[in-house]
Every structure is written in structure tokens, then in C-alpha cells.
Amino acid sequence: MAFSELPPWAAWRHHPERVGFEVVFVQRNSDGYRVHGTTSAVEDGVPLVVEYHIEVDGGWRTRRAEVRNISRAGHGRVVLESDGAGHWTVDGIPSPWLDGCPDVDVETSCLTNTFPVHRLVLPVGATATAPAAYVRGEDLNVQRIEQEYTRLEDDGGRELFDYDCPTFDFACRLTYDQHGLVLDYPRVGSRVG
């Protein structure tokens, strides 16, 4: 099933491990999308606000991500940029440990799991790796994570994927809507509105 155009906005309630809310606004441009999102949440008694601006090209590869936070430590900002061929800079510094990552995954976002499924266009039964530049919410530390998506049989108008992230020893089944936006992300969040 081909995904339809992204809607102009989306929102998720984060629960149960992180309790909060995420809202994102989407703009289509001549070569992809620009998204602007914010998550306000509390996790393990720690309050946090994370704001992100992400640009993806027509092939759903992240080209630029600016992530800001407000935490107990104060305010922070990090900028990741890609040449589209898998080479990255973090705050302008070449970051070869991220080579080959087509995506940015923001720890406090349900939205960023949208990019790989759009880019991969997996048929039912297929599996693909999707390494990502992962931005942590509280300290904006950037690391490489390994991920894998396996496309399952659709459930009505919903696409299902088995998601595996061996970096964090985490696996779950993700449910997506007709736009390729996560509806249900077990232990992380669910779509509202």
C-alpha cells in the first residue's frame, strides 16, 4: 500500500514510560518535507522539553535536523546535516561514525519513525536495516543506532511493522496509518486527534 500525503499536523500522547505530549506541524516543499515538532514530558521524575526542526528530501532521507531542549541543566541545541549520501556533520564537525545513516531519530519523538518506512517501501514479508543518527532528549548527545523494520500483513487500512533496535535491546510491533504516521508505538506513545 502506498502512503498518502502527510497531513499538516499530528499529535501523540507519550505513555507509559515517558508521560507527555508531542505535536508536529508538517510543510511540503519542492523536494520533500519540513517538520517542526515539540515534546513536553516527564520521565523518571525528570521534566523535559524537546523541539525539533527536520528536513527530509524527496527520497525521505534526512538532510538537516536542529534539535533544542530545555532541561534541568538549562538550554541546549544540536544541528545535524547530511549530504544525502550518508555523510554527516554534527554542529559543523564531520561525524564519520554516522556514515551510512539516512535518518535522524529523536529520542522523544514518535514522528521520526515515519521516515524509514516511507523511504524503504517494503513489500509484505521483507526486512531492511535502517541505521539512524539518534539524538537523546536530555543531553542532546548524538549516537548511531542500528534498527530493523520487517513489514507484516496489513491490518485493514493500517500497516504493521516489527521493529527491532538491538542498540537498546528493544523490539515491538509498530502500527502506521494511511499517511505512514505511527498510530501505536508500544511503551512509547499513541496517536491522538
Side-chain angles (χ1 to χ4, degrees), residues 159-193:
E159 287 196 13
L160 302 177
F161 289 81
D162 277 342
Y163 170 76
D164 185 35
C165 181
T167 305
F168 299 128
D169 192 28
F170 178 80
C172 69
R173 179 157 296 161
L174 298 174
T175 304
Y176 290 83
D177 71 5
Q178 73 275 15
H179 304 288
L181 293 171
V182 173
L183 288 171
D184 183 43
Y185 193 151
R187 300 184 356 222
V188 178
S190 56
R191 236 351 242 295
V192 296

Side-chain angles (χ1 to χ4, degrees), residues 129-174:
T129 60
Y134 185 76
V135 182
R136 291 204 173 267
E138 189 170 5
D139 59 11
L140 301 182
N141 182 46
V142 178
Q143 69 184 94
R144 178 191 185 98
I145 62 169
E146 302 303 326
Q147 305 176 107
E148 187 175 88
Y149 290 82
T150 300
R151 171 88 184 275
L152 306 173
E153 290 283 346
D154 291 352
D155 178 17
R158 299 174 174 182
E159 287 196 13
L160 302 177
F161 289 81
D162 277 342
Y163 170 76
D164 185 35
C165 181
T167 305
F168 299 128
D169 192 28
F170 178 80
C172 69
R173 179 157 296 161
L174 298 174

